[in-house]
Amino acid sequence: MSEKINFKYLIIGSNGLLGSRIKKNLPSKDIFCIARNSSDFNCNLNNTKKLLNIFDKYKFSNVINCVAIANIDKCEKNKKNCKKTNLYLPIFLNKLSKKKKFNLIHISSDQVYSLGNKERYKETDKTFFTNYYSKTKFFAEKYLMKNRRCLIIRTNFTGFKKKTNKTFIGWILKSLENKKKIKLFNDLFVSTLDVNYCSKAIIKLVNLNAKGIYNLGSSSSISKEKFAYLFAKKLKKKLYYDAVSSKRTSVFRPQNLTMDTKKIEKKIKANMPSPRQVINNLIKEKKIYENFRN
């Protein structure tokens, strides 16, 4: 039997917002990519039999799972698909990690912080769920945290995609371009990062052989309303919007998702960017995105 080909990284979901950026920030010779299309191996990512063939054919040191259904409203409307992607796939990869002896990097969510009203949530704080999306993330973590080869990253990020309105910042940009009035939460506070910084921090953690749970977010939180306002102001554009409460939505959302980032800062020996720095990074991203779009 011939020896398996080794890759340092396997990226599952390499065409998504985060997966594509991690791919861009890693040496091409070290990575193997799986996605629905335009990758090294194309398949339905919920088809575990096809995925298993790849693990039998190749050997991977680190498997980074970037696949998720993150739209909270969509998760409520199609719980079956949400459960397959956000829970069953991570459980499958977790079992494989133990069998094939690779490090599993799982991208979780700040949405698991929904208990109490802490100023900042630490990795050791109790977690729970308030909607179906956070429920799948919560239970995926419960399975994976028992695996000593697993790195769980709780994060919140945004960036630009070809279909503009598919991300938070893309939706804001489109509203600015069209001078369209939108609704923004004034009481939902998040530690959002730009996807480029987020991807580089994940790569640093992986290369440092980090395990366990890490918060990955900006150094302080900011409301969705203020984030959009500062982004528009930086672009010297007028933002047309109504400030609304997240408590009035049909799907419950935790109001405070501020993450304590001391643990990751100590590990990678770097301070997390402030919300204003994140916005500056997104302005640079916008220029790159516009060049790509044109």
Side-chain angles (χ1 to χ4, degrees):
M1 186 176 177
S2 59
E3 192 173 339
K4 290 182 181 179
I5 300 172
N6 293 304
F7 287 96
K8 190 172 181 179
Y9 311 95
L10 168 64
I11 305 172
I12 303 178
S14 57
N15 291 341
L17 181 63
L18 181 61
S20 60
R21 191 49 59 98
I22 290 175
K23 176 183 175 181
K24 185 178 179 181
N25 288 327
L26 284 172
S28 58
K29 64 181 178 64
D30 292 338
I31 61 175
F32 189 91
C33 296
I34 298 178
R36 286 183 180 270
N37 50 62
S38 305
S39 68
D40 297 313
F41 181 75
N42 303 328
C43 77
N44 181 329
L45 298 170
N46 289 320
N47 189 332
T48 53
K49 287 184 180 179
K50 277 195 173 182
L51 282 176
L52 188 57
N53 291 335
I54 290 299
F55 286 94
D56 289 337
K57 188 175 182 180
Y58 302 105
K59 185 176 175 62
F60 306 105
S61 300
N62 304 287
V63 174
I64 308 174
N65 178 28
C66 298
V67 181
I69 299 175
N71 185 300
I72 292 173
D73 296 306
K74 281 186 178 179
C75 287
E76 294 293 330
K77 289 175 183 175
N78 196 332
K79 292 180 179 179
K80 187 177 179 180
N81 278 354
C82 177
K83 196 171 188 179
K84 279 183 180 179
T85 303
N86 294 355
L87 181 58
Y88 291 161
L89 178 59
I91 289 173
F92 167 77
L93 293 172
N94 186 54
K95 290 177 181 176
L96 265 187
S97 169
K98 295 174 182 178
K99 184 179 178 181
K100 302 288 185 179
K101 301 188 186 307
F102 59 76
N103 298 323
L104 176 60
I105 295 84
H106 174 70
I107 310 302
S108 189
S109 169
D110 58 354
Q111 286 266 335
V112 298
Y113 291 124
S114 58
L115 281 175
N117 191 25
K118 292 209 166 190
E119 186 178 337
R120 290 171 181 267
Y121 287 98
K122 295 182 179 180
E123 291 86 349
T124 51
D125 286 328
K126 286 185 178 181
T127 56
F128 201 57
F129 54 88
T130 53
N131 50 55
Y132 201 76
Y133 167 72
S134 60
K135 184 177 182 178
T136 57
K137 288 295 185 179
F138 172 82
F139 281 107
E141 282 195 11
K142 288 295 180 186
Y143 280 96
L144 273 60
M145 64 176 54
K146 298 172 186 176
N147 184 355
R148 292 183 179 181
R149 292 181 176 272
C150 190
L151 168 63
I152 297 170
I153 299 169
R154 294 171 181 161
T155 190
N156 182 313
F157 58 88
T158 192
F160 299 102
K161 294 184 79 172
K162 194 171 183 179
K163 290 185 178 179
T164 314
N165 60 351
K166 291 293 184 182
T167 67
F168 173 68
I169 201 63
W171 173 64
I172 298 301
L173 179 61
K174 193 169 185 178
S175 76
L176 293 173
E177 290 174 341
N178 298 333
K179 296 181 180 180
K180 183 181 177 181
K181 196 173 188 180
I182 57 175
K183 293 180 180 180
L184 291 165
F185 297 137
N186 59 6
D187 58 357
L188 200 165
F189 293 83
V190 290
S191 306
T192 303
L193 281 175
D194 60 283
V195 69
N196 193 49
Y197 188 96
C198 185
S199 68
K200 288 181 178 179
I202 290 169
I203 291 168
K204 283 182 182 179
L205 283 175
V206 174
N207 290 339
L208 287 168
N209 201 31
K211 300 293 186 296
I213 301 170
Y214 283 83
N215 288 338
L216 174 53
S218 56
S219 60
S220 61
S221 64
I222 188 172
S223 72
K224 294 271 190 175
E225 176 195 8
K226 190 171 182 182
F227 193 98
Y229 172 78
L230 291 175
F231 178 74
K233 186 178 179 182
K234 193 77 180 177
L235 290 176
K236 297 180 180 178
K237 298 277 188 181
K238 182 172 176 57
L239 180 65
Y240 298 90
Y241 74 97
D242 287 327
V244 297
S245 172
S246 59
K247 294 177 183 178
R248 295 187 177 183
T249 57
S250 58
V251 182
F252 185 85
R253 290 162 167 81
Q255 274 69 59
N256 177 31
L257 295 171
T258 308
M259 293 187 289
D260 187 305
T261 56
K262 289 177 184 175
K263 183 179 178 181
I264 191 171
E265 288 177 338
K266 184 177 180 181
K267 186 68 177 180
I268 70 173
K269 297 179 180 178
N271 293 326
M272 292 295 105
S274 69
R276 288 180 183 271
Q277 287 172 315
V278 170
I279 288 166
N280 287 338
N281 291 342
L282 287 167
I283 298 296
K284 293 175 185 175
E285 282 284 311
K286 175 183 171 293
K287 293 176 182 176
I288 297 168
Y289 164 75
E290 286 180 338
N291 289 335
F292 169 76
R293 194 168 57 166
N294 296 328

